[in-house]
Amino acid sequence: MVSSIGWATTPDGYLISVGDELELDILDDNEPPQRFTVGRDGEVQLPYIGGLQVSSIAVGDARDLIHRTYVQREIFVDPSIELSIASFRPISVLGDVQNPGNFDYQPFMTAEQAVGLAGGPAISANNEEARVLERRNLKGALNSLEYDLGLLAAQYARSQALLKGEGNLNWSNLPSDLRQGVNRELFDEHKANEDQVIALETQNAVTQRGLLTQAVSEAENQIAILRQREVVQRKIVTVSQTELERMIDLATRGLIPKFDVRNFELQASQAESSLLDHRERQSEAIVQLTTLMGRLSQFDSHLEQQRLTESQRIRNEINKLISNRNSVEDRLALLDQWMNAASGLESELLLEFQVRRREGNGVRKLLLRPDEELSPGDLLVIVVKPPETLGEAQ
């Protein structure tokens, strides 16, 4: 809602507030306009002059003050200065409105206009057609919440069944405090689907665990084979060493040429190298087995942790839905009371405009009329008067 295009028309009578962003343009220099935020102390830090108190001063007066300060401090002789509001502090609208939240502030915004930004009052008290439509919408929202609550309750019961190792969804899986607020028929509507999810998740867990178990078994078999090969290879090394020693003895006695010994040395060396290769492969297989056994031992705990986390997430969603449902039920009950008691009344008689405005070191509480103006940063709380007070208001 707020853009820099409109700030050239910022009223000179607007009082600057803490948190406002000012746009200062010294037309005598070649620098582009600069923006400065009014601090909590009410001061704005400006080029060459530092802090200047501008809070609660009109824009026109602040422009004159900045001009005088630049001249008095002999920074400029007679500068042409343009000062406007780049952005205001947003206002907050809470209470009995359709869409509470924060909204951009505009000069001369009234309390009634701010309520319009928030979608209007939560209940239209002086419009019969609007009340009927609103009641229909509330009933629809309530039915939707009831359906979603039944679905989430079934999902929560499914998570509890999986944690307990049960194969089917049961109403007893819901805590007693939840059963009181859940429609049993809507819960049962989702039982077939959730039972199917339980079966699929259980089968998936069994399959994954089976694959890990099979991998562990294969790794153990591989290690056993490598150990058997190591035994055989050690025998080959022993035989090669014995034969080499015999050939060295024959060569020493001159019975065979020394050249023939080299072939036996090579065979003995190859046998020892093969033995080292077997041991290396065995070590790698042991490391792999250890990793697989670790994954297998952690599988169940990780699976349980995932299911606990999912269960907690669903429970939080259920609590939110219950809170929303209670709110809708309260609004529906209040609307029904109004439809019986508020016929012909003006809405301004039914709404109270409470403002909390920060001033200095404290917060001031005000009651405004609908046509009174707000200030930047105001917190506007809309309170619907209870039906029992309508007679007095009338």
Side-chain angles (χ1 to χ4, degrees):
M1 294 174 56
V2 178
S3 66
S4 58
I5 297 176
W7 299 135
T9 60
T10 302
D12 279 359
Y14 170 76
L15 297 181
I16 299 172
S17 300
V18 171
D20 286 341
E21 187 178 30
L22 307 182
E23 182 170 284
L24 175 66
D25 188 7
I26 301 175
L27 304 177
D28 300 86
D29 60 19
N30 295 323
E31 298 294 328
Q34 299 183 58
R35 294 187 175 188
F36 309 92
T37 301
V38 180
R40 296 178 63 87
D41 57 358
E43 290 190 353
V44 61
Q45 301 294 323
L46 299 177
Y48 311 118
I49 59 177
L52 196 64
Q53 183 66 233
V54 294
S55 179
S56 301
I57 298 178
V59 171
D61 294 337
R63 186 186 301 113
D64 294 339
L65 174 62
I66 295 171
H67 179 276
R68 289 197 308 272
T69 304
Y70 275 124
V71 172
Q72 292 170 358
R73 299 187 184 181
E74 300 181 352
I75 298 171
F76 296 105
V77 177
D78 186 17
S80 297
I81 293 176
E82 182 57 49
L83 182 70
S84 58
I85 305 297
S87 65
F88 301 91
R89 285 186 301 161
I91 61 169
S92 300
V93 184
L94 304 177
D96 297 318
V97 291
Q98 297 285 352
N99 303 304
N102 296 326
F103 303 92
D104 291 332
Y105 174 82
Q106 290 185 355
F108 310 122
M109 178 184 290
T110 65
E112 192 172 41
Q113 289 171 335
V115 172
L117 292 177
I123 296 177
S124 300
N126 60 338
N127 187 317
E128 181 67 26
E129 182 179 357
R131 291 198 299 268
V132 172
L133 291 175
E134 187 169 1
R135 190 178 190 282
R136 183 182 302 169
N137 291 335
L138 287 174
K139 290 291 289 185
L142 187 60
N143 291 336
S144 178
L145 287 170
E146 289 285 2
Y147 179 85
D148 292 341
L149 189 56
L151 173 59
L152 281 177
Q155 292 175 350
Y156 181 81
R158 179 244 298 164
S159 68
Q160 294 300 303
L162 286 169
L163 284 170
K164 297 176 182 178
E166 299 174 351
N168 295 290
L169 193 71
N170 292 300
W171 177 252
S172 60
N173 290 134
L174 282 180
S176 57
D177 59 323
L178 286 185
R179 285 182 232 156
Q180 299 174 1
V182 175
N183 186 308
R184 177 67 183 272
E185 294 181 358
L186 293 176
F187 175 89
D188 290 338
E189 282 185 15
H190 303 288
K191 184 179 185 330
N193 288 336
E194 295 304 322
D195 282 346
Q196 187 176 7
V197 173
I198 290 175
L200 290 174
E201 288 198 15
T202 301
Q203 182 59 44
N204 183 53
V206 170
T207 300
Q208 292 187 36
R209 201 176 196 289
L211 291 173
L212 284 173
T213 302
Q214 182 179 356
V216 168
S217 178
E218 291 177 354
E220 290 174 341
N221 291 335
Q222 184 181 10
I223 292 173
I225 293 172
L226 288 172
R227 285 174 175 169
Q228 291 175 359
R229 288 181 176 177
E230 181 185 357
V231 172
V232 174
Q233 191 62 36
R234 280 203 302 266
K235 291 179 179 180
I236 294 173
V237 169
T238 301
V239 171
S240 298
Q241 287 292 340
T242 302
E243 186 65 16
L244 175 60
E245 291 173 359
R246 188 178 70 82
M247 295 304 293
I248 291 174
D249 179 63
L250 291 175
T252 302
R253 290 186 291 166
L255 298 176
I256 62 172
K258 292 185 177 181
F259 178 82
D260 292 343
V261 176
R262 294 181 181 178
N263 293 331
F264 288 93
E265 289 177 341
L266 180 59
Q267 292 176 6
S269 176
Q270 290 176 343
E272 290 180 354
S273 178
S274 296
L275 178 61
L276 292 175
D277 288 342
H278 281 299
R279 289 175 176 173
E280 183 179 3
R281 291 172 59 189
Q282 189 177 148
S283 297
E284 293 174 353
I286 291 173
V287 171
Q288 183 180 10
L289 175 62
T290 302
T291 301
L292 290 171
M293 291 181 68
R295 290 173 58 186
L296 181 59
S297 65
Q298 293 176 358
F299 177 79
D300 292 332
S301 60
H302 284 177
L303 183 61
E304 183 178 8
Q305 182 61 44
Q306 290 175 358
R307 289 172 175 173
L308 283 172
T309 301
E310 177 69 4
S311 176
Q312 185 60 47
R313 183 193 66 79
I314 297 174
R315 181 63 187 264
N316 292 337
E317 292 295 325
I318 289 175
N319 291 336
K320 291 179 183 178
L321 280 185
I322 291 177
S323 178
N324 290 340
R325 183 185 64 183
N326 292 341
S327 176
V328 172
E329 287 177 341
D330 290 343
R331 289 173 59 187
L332 190 58
L334 183 59
L335 180 60
D336 287 340
Q337 290 178 306
W338 275 19
M339 292 179 71
N340 296 327
S343 178
L345 285 181
E346 296 296 329
S347 60
E348 60 193 42
L349 298 177
L350 305 173
L351 300 179
E352 187 171 82
F353 298 80
Q354 301 178 2
V355 170
R356 299 172 190 171
R357 180 174 299 165
R358 182 169 294 279
E359 295 180 349
N361 296 325
V363 176
R364 183 183 176 193
K365 297 182 179 180
L366 305 170
L367 286 179
L368 298 185
R369 296 190 305 274
D371 59 348
E372 288 189 280
E373 295 178 9
L374 298 172
S375 296
D378 277 354
L379 171 61
L380 176 62
V381 180
I382 303 303
V383 178
V384 174
K385 296 180 182 179
E388 55 266 22
T389 66
L390 299 183
E392 301 175 4
Q394 196 169 20

